[in-house]
Amino acid sequence: MKGAKPRLQNVIPMKGDSIRHVPDAPDFMSDEGRAVWQRLAPIAVQKERLEPHFEDMFAAYCEAAADFIRFTGEIAAYGSYYVTEGRHGKQEKKRAVWGQRQDALSSMQRLSALFGMSPVDESRIGSAGQGNLLNMLEKQLNGNGAN
């Protein structure tokens, strides 16, 4: 074929073929947080949701997930409550780790929404926004279908 040979800078990768660099976990993360990062960062990069300016927020999610895993292990090992005896007899009290796990779960849920890490959030991120929804509804009302 005539013409200049293609150079790597000129080749546009096909969708799904691009190999993107997965960044290393930040230095400030715990070992448990790094393990979560190593497990989830490649998926976030593949879905184009882990850009350099999002790395600290993603690290926060990974740390919350690591806390949730650690606190769940402690509850499994020691139970979620303990028994005390006082003026009113025996009472069951929740361990502090139970509340810590709930806090970690709340943080995970809040931060995971930013990265589309639940089915609902993933569909929200994947859509083009409310404009498409309104167009779809208008088509349905006009009898054009929702394809």
Side-chain angles (χ1 to χ4, degrees), residues 89-145:
K90 291 184 178 182
Q91 294 180 343
E92 293 179 354
K93 304 253 183 183
K94 290 180 187 172
R95 293 189 186 279
V97 73
W98 191 89
Q100 291 171 316
R101 182 178 73 164
Q102 292 304 108
D103 290 344
L105 179 60
S106 294
S107 295
M108 282 178 62
Q109 289 171 328
R110 191 174 50 255
L111 294 170
S112 70
L114 301 174
F115 295 97
M117 296 175 81
S118 76
V120 171
D121 296 323
E122 185 171 49
S123 66
R124 178 184 52 82
I125 288 176
S127 72
Q130 190 174 6
N132 286 347
L133 175 65
L134 293 176
N135 289 339
M136 182 187 71
L137 290 173
E138 184 178 354
K139 286 180 182 179
Q140 282 183 336
L141 290 172
N142 291 335
N144 296 335

Side-chain angles (χ1 to χ4, degrees), residues 14-62:
M14 297 183 70
K15 187 172 181 153
D17 283 351
S18 63
I19 298 173
R20 298 187 60 191
H21 171 70
V22 177
D24 293 331
D27 292 336
F28 61 81
M29 293 181 70
S30 66
D31 290 339
E32 296 90 355
R34 286 174 181 277
V36 174
W37 178 285
Q38 290 171 352
R39 184 168 47 93
L40 297 178
I43 298 166
V45 167
Q46 178 188 6
K47 293 184 177 204
E48 298 181 357
R49 296 185 186 151
L50 184 54
E51 301 298 328
H53 53 286
F54 300 146
E55 288 179 13
D56 289 339
M57 192 62 69
F58 191 74
Y61 171 80
C62 292

